[in-house]
Amino acid sequence: MPLAPTTLQVTGNTPEQSYPVLVGNGLLGQLPELLSATVKKVLVIHPRALRATGDLVRDDLAGAGFEALTAEIPDAEEGKHIQVASFCWEVLGKNDFTRTDAIVAVGGGAVTDLAGFVAATWLRGVKVIHIPTSLLAMVDAAVGGKTGINTAEGKNLVGAFHPPAAVLVDLDALATLPKNELINGMAEVVKTGFIADERILELIEEDPADAIDPSGARLRELVERTIAVKVGVVSRDLKESGEREFLNYGHTLAHAIELAERYQMRHGAAVAIGLSFAAELGRSVGYTSDEVAERHQSILKSLGLPTTYRNDRWAALLDGMKRDKKSRGGQLRFVVLEEIGKPRIYEVPDNSLLFAAYQEIGE
């Protein structure tokens, strides 16, 4: 008998910033009741790879009395471009979507980012509900209200904060997710363990193979614990003015790698390398102990995630990191660990320190 859904509540300063995150199995049937009575039209945005799922959600909504239609966008990061957003705006405009109508995002993190951005910008903001279908989106992208698109200059440099009306984390989607995508999503889970919840790390260390078994209870606990951390942080800091910056642990180098790879590397793989780098940086400047730094390596490797990157890319990576959203006045800022569960911001006084840390993960 399946477990009852778990509801985690994001609590913002206003009703519009507060919403439930439901975690469980067989949750798609709850979508119609999460759309308020004022909603008449719903646009379901989904990637090409999830056409059948997008059509199913549309048909369910139509059966519940909504005027529902779909917008198919390119898969993965190819969908996060201004041209794709413009296409979605065109669909909304041609179908007379009003401020009381809604968007439903079905897909991975790139889809929730793009659909959230479209919702934030159409008529200065319409309702959006996320149905994440990848582990990465479930534990990270779908929760928190960050939306964005990519530009030639970097990842997510154009975006807005636009909290969803609800998030449906249906774990049934993980059963059909390729193993490499489950592993990809675990990078964000590991990150959360290091910055906030050591039990996450212990659950992985106890049985790394079971941690990525979509039918097991261990993965559900990892998902719920990771989401719970993000829900708490977002409730206290919606617009990344303080504590929420810690959720970017490992992401400064990760985003630079993605840019250098023209977004052909999976986000989780880049984050894993970024975590290794952040641990080495923290160790080299005296914040992170040898034991904690080496624990990064062992856990990431046990899951099959990468921990090294090419030595010959340093100049491009440094240039990419200078565009990071955490930078202030041209000075690079990194999240490092004083100890597990105790992150801090480190303002880098000299880029040579970054280069020295990078030598520890270069290949």
Side-chain angles (χ1 to χ4, degrees), residues 1 10 21 27 76 89 145 170 184 208 239 242:
M1 182 175 179
V10 174
V21 181
L27 299 182
W89 292 325
D170 193 329
N184 179 56
K239 294 192 175 181

Side-chain angles (χ1 to χ4, degrees), residues 257 260-261 265 273 308-311 313 317 358 361-363:
I257 290 173
E261 292 284 343
M265 179 182 283
I273 299 167
T308 60
Y309 192 62
R310 294 168 48 177
N311 272 321
R313 287 292 182 92
L317 297 180
Y358 187 73
I361 69 158
E363 60 181 10

Side-chain angles (χ1 to χ4, degrees), residues 1 6 9 27 55 66-67 98 112-113 128 134 169 189-190 213 236 250 264 309 343:
M1 182 175 179
T6 300
Q9 184 70 31
L27 299 182
D55 288 347
F66 296 95
E67 183 181 333
T98 69
T112 59
D113 283 354
V128 63
S134 71
V169 178
V189 177
V190 172
D213 179 356
R236 294 186 293 270
Q264 297 307 299
Y309 192 62

Side-chain angles (χ1 to χ4, degrees), residues 121-360:
T121 49
W122 183 253
L123 300 177
R124 299 190 177 90
V126 297
K127 176 178 294 189
V128 63
I129 292 178
H130 295 314
I131 304 177
T133 59
S134 71
L135 178 59
L136 185 67
M138 290 176 180
V139 300
D140 186 44
V143 180
K146 274 189 180 181
T147 76
I149 56 175
N150 301 332
T151 68
E153 289 68 39
K155 185 171 180 177
N156 297 332
L157 294 180
V158 176
F161 288 98
H162 187 64
V167 181
L168 285 177
V169 178
D170 193 329
L171 298 172
D172 288 344
L174 297 180
T176 58
L177 200 66
K179 184 178 179 180
N180 66 315
E181 285 301 317
L182 278 170
I183 294 171
N184 179 56
M186 288 300 294
E188 294 286 355
V189 177
V190 172
K191 173 206 76 177
T192 306
F194 276 110
I195 65 171
D197 182 357
E198 189 173 7
R199 180 58 185 152
I200 288 174
L201 305 178
E202 294 168 350
L203 284 165
I204 296 170
E205 289 170 322
E206 288 166 7
D207 195 335
D210 191 43
I212 54 173
D213 179 356
S215 64
R218 189 180 301 266
L219 182 54
R220 175 167 179 162
E221 183 175 354
L222 287 168
V223 169
E224 290 185 354
R225 282 182 171 273
T226 304
I227 293 174
V229 169
K230 186 159 189 182
V231 163
V233 171
V234 169
S235 295
R236 294 186 293 270
D237 181 16
L238 173 65
K239 294 192 175 181
E240 203 171 81
S241 57
E243 180 185 2
R244 189 166 178 175
E245 281 194 82
F246 297 145
L247 295 175
N248 288 316
Y249 184 50
H251 282 58
T252 302
L253 181 66
H255 286 163
I257 290 173
E258 289 178 285
L259 179 62
E261 292 284 343
R262 299 174 185 257
Y263 304 111
Q264 297 307 299
M265 179 182 283
R266 304 301 291 168
H267 179 67
V271 168
I273 299 167
L275 291 173
S276 295
F277 173 73
E280 292 300 335
L281 177 62
R283 171 154 59 178
S284 69
V285 298
Y287 286 119
T288 307
S289 69
D290 290 344
E291 179 186 3
V292 170
E294 288 159 12
R295 198 174 181 188
H296 282 69
Q297 294 283 331
S298 63
I299 291 175
L300 293 168
K301 288 178 179 177
S302 75
L303 292 166
L305 284 161
T307 58
T308 60
Y309 192 62
R310 294 168 48 177
N311 272 321
D312 62 352
R313 287 292 182 92
W314 173 247
L317 297 180
L318 181 59
D319 183 61
M321 287 190 289
K322 288 177 179 178
R323 300 172 183 173
D324 185 77
K325 297 184 293 298
K326 291 188 298 302
S327 297
R328 300 289 187 272
Q331 185 171 35
L332 283 169
R333 303 162 79 248
F334 282 78
V335 181
V336 296
L337 291 184
E338 293 186 3
E339 56 188 69
I340 293 173
K342 193 176 180 181
R344 62 165 294 152
I345 298 295
Y346 173 64
E347 296 188 350
V348 182
D350 189 327
N351 290 341
S352 65
L353 295 171
L354 300 178
F355 180 73
Y358 187 73
Q359 298 311 295
E360 298 300 318

